[in-house]
Every structure is written in C-alpha cells, then in structure tokens.
Amino acid sequence: MNRLAIVARRCFSAKAAAKQTCLIDVHKKYGGKLVEFAGYEMPTQYTDLSIKDSSIHTRKHVSIFDVSHMLQTHITGTDRVAFIESLTTADVQGLGENSGVLSVFTNEKGGIKDDLIIMKTDKDFLFLVTNAGCIEKDLPYLLENAAKWRANGKDVQIQTLDNRGLVALQGPEMAKVLQAETDIDLSKLSFMHTQIGKVFGIENCRVTRCGYTGEDGVEISVDPKRASDLVERLLESKNGNVKLAGLGARDALRLEAGLCLYGNDIDENTTPIEANLAFVVAKRRRETLDFPGAEKIVKQLKEKSWPKRRVGLISGSGRSPRSHLPLIDPLDKCSIGFVTSGCPSPTLNKNIAIAYVDKSHSKIGTKFVVDFGAKQQQVEVVKMPFVPTNYFTQK
C-alpha cells in the first residue's frame, strides 16, 4: 500500500451506519472504495487510479468529486445580510450580486467554529455551503440565532437544501468540458462568482466557480434526481479527459494548495490570525467589531501579537509528517509546535505538511525537526501554497 493510501485510510476510517449521497450508485458502479467520512459513505479512490495518479490527473486534466455531503443552505428575509454578518467575519453587504467569499463562523474567544462559503445571489437569498463534519453544530447555530432575531422583530429564515447534489469539477480542462454543455458563459464567470443555468439540459443548476484543489473549477448544485445523469454525461465528454476522484486525492490536492481542513488545521481554539487567514476578516468588519470574538481578533491584527502561527513545511526524503506529531527545536530540544496535516505531495514528489509553531519559529526558511519517536526528520518552513493555484480571475 502506498503512502497516500495509508494517509487516506488513516483520515477516513470506516464506520457503520453512514448516510449516503445521491451519487452512491455512481460510486459503486465505478469501483469507489467506500469509507465513512463526516457521517457519509464516501469514496477515497476508484479502482482505475491510485490516489497519487488521481491527484496528478486533476492537475493535468479534470476530475469529478462528489461533495454532496456538504450542507447547502439558503438564508432568506430582508435582514439576511445583517444576520449572517453577525455570525461571520465577511463583508456580505459589500459583495456584488452573484459573488461570494470564503469566511468563518467565530466564537466569543475569536476561535473558528467552521469555515464556509457565502454567495450573495441576485435573488432573495444568500447561498451558503458549510462543512459536512460540522452540520450538527452549524445548523442548530443558524436556527437558534435566526429564532432570536425573529423574536426581536427581524426578518430572517433558514432553509436547508436537503439531499441536493453538489458536484465539483476541477482541473485545467474544466471549462473546455463544461462550456459546450451549459448556457452559462464561463468566460464571464470569475472565481467566487455564481450563476443559475442549464447543464446538459438539466434545469436550475447553480454553477459556482470555486473548489478545494487549487485548480480552476466549479461546484454544481443540482437536483439529486439528476445528479447521477450529470456525472455520467461529464464522464462521456469528448472535450476533455474526465475521471472520477475521491477523498484521498481531494485531501492531497487541498494540502498542496495550502488549504485548511476543519478539525485538523483550524478549530475553535484557533483564531483566523493564528491560522494565517487574516484575509477572511473583511476590512469594514475590522472597524465595526460586530462579530463574535472581534476584539481579540482585531487586537491580534493591530498589535501583531499572537502566540502561534500556521505554516507550511517541506522535506525532501524520509517519512511524511502526519497530524499531531510534535515539532522540536534541535538546539534546545524544546517543543515548538505540532503538525496538523501532512502527506507525500503527488505533484512535488516531496513530503509536505501544515503545522502550528511558535511565532518566533514561523519565518520562511526556518528549520527544525519532526519527532517521530524513534527517529527525527528535518523540515523547513516554506511559503504556501506548495503548488501554485490556477483560479480563474478576470483582470
């Protein structure tokens, strides 16, 4: 078993009684190796490609990922913008129609409750996509706060899009494959923008230019009864080399892109500033200070004072750093941090990792060691992303 397969098995261990997405029959038909992830039965990989080869295929061509386990939500009501701003760090008021932003729910201590995408549509609702692993806390949080707002005379409602399909099409051939099959002009759909249209004749598909791989891509929200048809039609495309990809490749690709996995790289005890995600705290919101934990977060920004920082690590040989392994200063033998995610990079053929270290050890080029127990291995702090991103942005 190769190292990436070991990482996938460790991260996505099987459990009983998992839920299934609307694409479960597709996964079984094409030999998906199914395990439990975030309460759902999901494929780590398919029989035709290893995790490494699937990752490389995505970088060179285009891959389909089932992300239907994510929570899709509409926020409606005249007070919807103010409501979602009361819970997140985003400047939703300042967004243009059909554009969106990556943001975070924060707690009163400035920690990250979850990360999410917020889309400000040209209709009467906001479109949210939040993590599957956080559904059991995110949905009650939204519902409880909306009830409080309504009790105070405000107009806001929460509507979940239960069981709706969400298909991510990721890679440099995405537009070539999709443009011939949709009435949406992809040349005018920039990164973090969204539109409703037809895809393969399927009505009411929401196509959002975003993804979790670092490559150009879209996520297509689709009627669950048509999701399998959508995937089959994509696989039949003659306009590009389209393959199915699973969670193993998705994890390796997001790590190469320096993107966080909630519960590993960000959590309720870590602020956006410590997580090296200051960009999610919108400029206007730094002034208004009207979101949970705002004072602590903005104080860290202004005073440049925080105890730890998320960094990228790289090593050329040996074992791949993995979650929870300690990092040691080789001079004084003291612990300076810990690894949160790690794997062999399919693109770079080097070991990469995300970690938190004391701020004094976070400078690019700093070297220390990962403690495997019986052995230690040198790593170096490098700039993220490890692999350059290829998001489609219009200049």
Side-chain angles (χ1 to χ4, degrees), residues 376-387:
Q376 293 185 338
Q377 181 174 304
Q378 188 178 82
V379 290
E380 181 178 346
V381 178
V382 296
K383 185 178 180 180
M384 291 187 287
F386 301 97
V387 175

Side-chain angles (χ1 to χ4, degrees), residues 32-57:
K33 296 183 179 181
L34 298 172
V35 298
E36 189 275 335
F37 176 70
Y40 283 82
E41 197 174 0
M42 299 290 287
T44 58
Q45 66 183 99
Y46 296 84
T47 53
D48 61 337
L49 291 175
S50 68
I51 292 173
K52 178 178 180 179
D53 289 341
S54 183
S55 302
I56 293 171
H57 178 88

Side-chain angles (χ1 to χ4, degrees), residues 148-274:
K148 291 177 182 177
W149 273 58
R150 288 194 297 273
N152 289 320
K154 302 294 185 180
D155 178 23
V156 63
Q157 294 84 34
I158 311 298
Q159 177 189 359
T160 59
L161 309 185
D162 296 331
N163 302 317
R164 190 166 172 83
L166 192 61
V167 176
L169 188 64
Q170 301 282 301
E173 294 179 359
M174 180 279 295
K176 184 169 67 171
V177 168
L178 195 61
Q179 186 60 84
E181 309 297 347
T182 182
D183 57 359
I184 296 171
D185 186 350
L186 297 177
S187 70
K188 296 179 180 178
L189 188 69
S190 295
F191 182 61
M192 295 304 288
H193 284 70
T194 187
Q195 284 191 31
I196 292 285
K198 294 181 184 179
V199 181
F200 291 105
I202 302 171
E203 300 274 0
N204 195 34
C205 288
R206 177 168 293 282
V207 179
T208 304
R209 202 133 193 182
C210 65
Y212 198 45
T213 65
E215 293 297 327
D216 183 22
V218 294
E219 291 183 356
I220 306 170
S221 180
V222 59
D223 183 333
K225 295 179 181 178
R226 303 300 305 277
S228 292
D229 183 34
L230 172 65
V231 170
E232 294 284 7
R233 296 288 298 276
L234 287 169
L235 289 172
E236 293 168 2
S237 174
K238 304 300 182 184
N239 296 319
N241 188 349
V242 186
K243 298 279 189 181
L244 288 164
L247 293 173
R250 191 165 182 254
D251 192 53
L253 291 162
R254 71 90 189 170
L255 188 48
E256 289 184 336
L259 301 175
C260 296
L261 175 63
Y262 191 83
N264 278 44
D265 310 305
I266 48 177
D267 58 31
E268 296 213 29
N269 296 312
T270 305
T271 72
I273 312 310
E274 294 162 353

Side-chain angles (χ1 to χ4, degrees), residues 97-387:
E97 288 187 345
N98 294 322
S99 68
V101 65
L102 174 68
S103 190
V104 291
F105 293 119
T106 50
N107 60 31
E108 294 299 332
K109 296 181 180 179
I112 301 171
K113 293 176 67 70
D114 195 11
D115 58 311
L116 72 158
I117 288 177
I118 305 169
M119 286 287 159
K120 186 179 183 181
T121 74
D122 59 357
K123 308 299 182 184
D124 59 351
F125 61 86
L126 303 175
F127 175 60
L128 272 59
V129 178
T130 51
N131 284 308
C134 294
I135 290 175
E136 291 185 1
K137 70 174 182 179
D138 287 350
L139 186 53
Y141 184 63
L142 287 167
L143 292 171
E144 289 167 9
N145 278 280
K148 291 177 182 177
W149 273 58
R150 288 194 297 273
N152 289 320
K154 302 294 185 180
D155 178 23
V156 63
Q157 294 84 34
I158 311 298
Q159 177 189 359
T160 59
L161 309 185
D162 296 331
N163 302 317
R164 190 166 172 83
L166 192 61
V167 176
L169 188 64
Q170 301 282 301
E173 294 179 359
M174 180 279 295
K176 184 169 67 171
V177 168
L178 195 61
Q179 186 60 84
E181 309 297 347
T182 182
D183 57 359
I184 296 171
D185 186 350
L186 297 177
S187 70
K188 296 179 180 178
L189 188 69
S190 295
F191 182 61
M192 295 304 288
H193 284 70
T194 187
Q195 284 191 31
I196 292 285
K198 294 181 184 179
V199 181
F200 291 105
I202 302 171
E203 300 274 0
N204 195 34
C205 288
R206 177 168 293 282
V207 179
T208 304
R209 202 133 193 182
C210 65
Y212 198 45
T213 65
E215 293 297 327
D216 183 22
V218 294
E219 291 183 356
I220 306 170
S221 180
V222 59
D223 183 333
K225 295 179 181 178
R226 303 300 305 277
S228 292
D229 183 34
L230 172 65
V231 170
E232 294 284 7
R233 296 288 298 276
L234 287 169
L235 289 172
E236 293 168 2
S237 174
K238 304 300 182 184
N239 296 319
N241 188 349
V242 186
K243 298 279 189 181
L244 288 164
L247 293 173
R250 191 165 182 254
D251 192 53
L253 291 162
R254 71 90 189 170
L255 188 48
E256 289 184 336
L259 301 175
C260 296
L261 175 63
Y262 191 83
N264 278 44
D265 310 305
I266 48 177
D267 58 31
E268 296 213 29
N269 296 312
T270 305
T271 72
I273 312 310
E274 294 162 353
N276 205 6
L277 297 173
F279 70 90
V280 303
V281 186
K283 184 177 180 180
R284 179 175 65 84
R285 307 304 305 286
R286 299 179 189 189
E287 300 298 326
T288 57
L289 295 175
D290 53 356
F291 58 88
E295 290 189 6
K296 178 177 179 178
I297 291 170
V298 173
K299 181 179 179 181
Q300 286 184 334
L301 270 171
K302 290 182 175 180
E303 298 181 0
K304 300 185 183 302
S305 60
W306 54 88
K308 60 181 180 180
R309 189 168 183 83
R310 185 175 69 94
V311 299
L313 304 177
I314 196 164
S315 64
S317 62
R319 297 167 62 185
S320 173
R322 62 180 186 272
S323 180
H324 304 303
L325 286 177
L327 300 168
I328 307 295
D329 186 323
L331 296 178
D332 58 20
K333 310 300 181 184
C334 291
S335 174
I336 57 165
F338 56 95
V339 178
T340 55
S341 293
C343 75
S345 165
T347 305
L348 302 176
N349 286 316
K350 295 181 179 180
N351 294 318
I352 59 173
I354 289 175
Y356 280 88
V357 298
D358 297 342
K359 189 181 177 184
S360 59
H361 288 78
S362 64
K363 186 178 179 180
I364 302 298
T366 303
K367 296 179 181 179
F368 36 80
V369 297
V370 181
D371 187 359
F372 288 92
K375 294 184 179 180
Q376 293 185 338
Q377 181 174 304
Q378 188 178 82
V379 290
E380 181 178 346
V381 178
V382 296
K383 185 178 180 180
M384 291 187 287
F386 301 97
V387 175

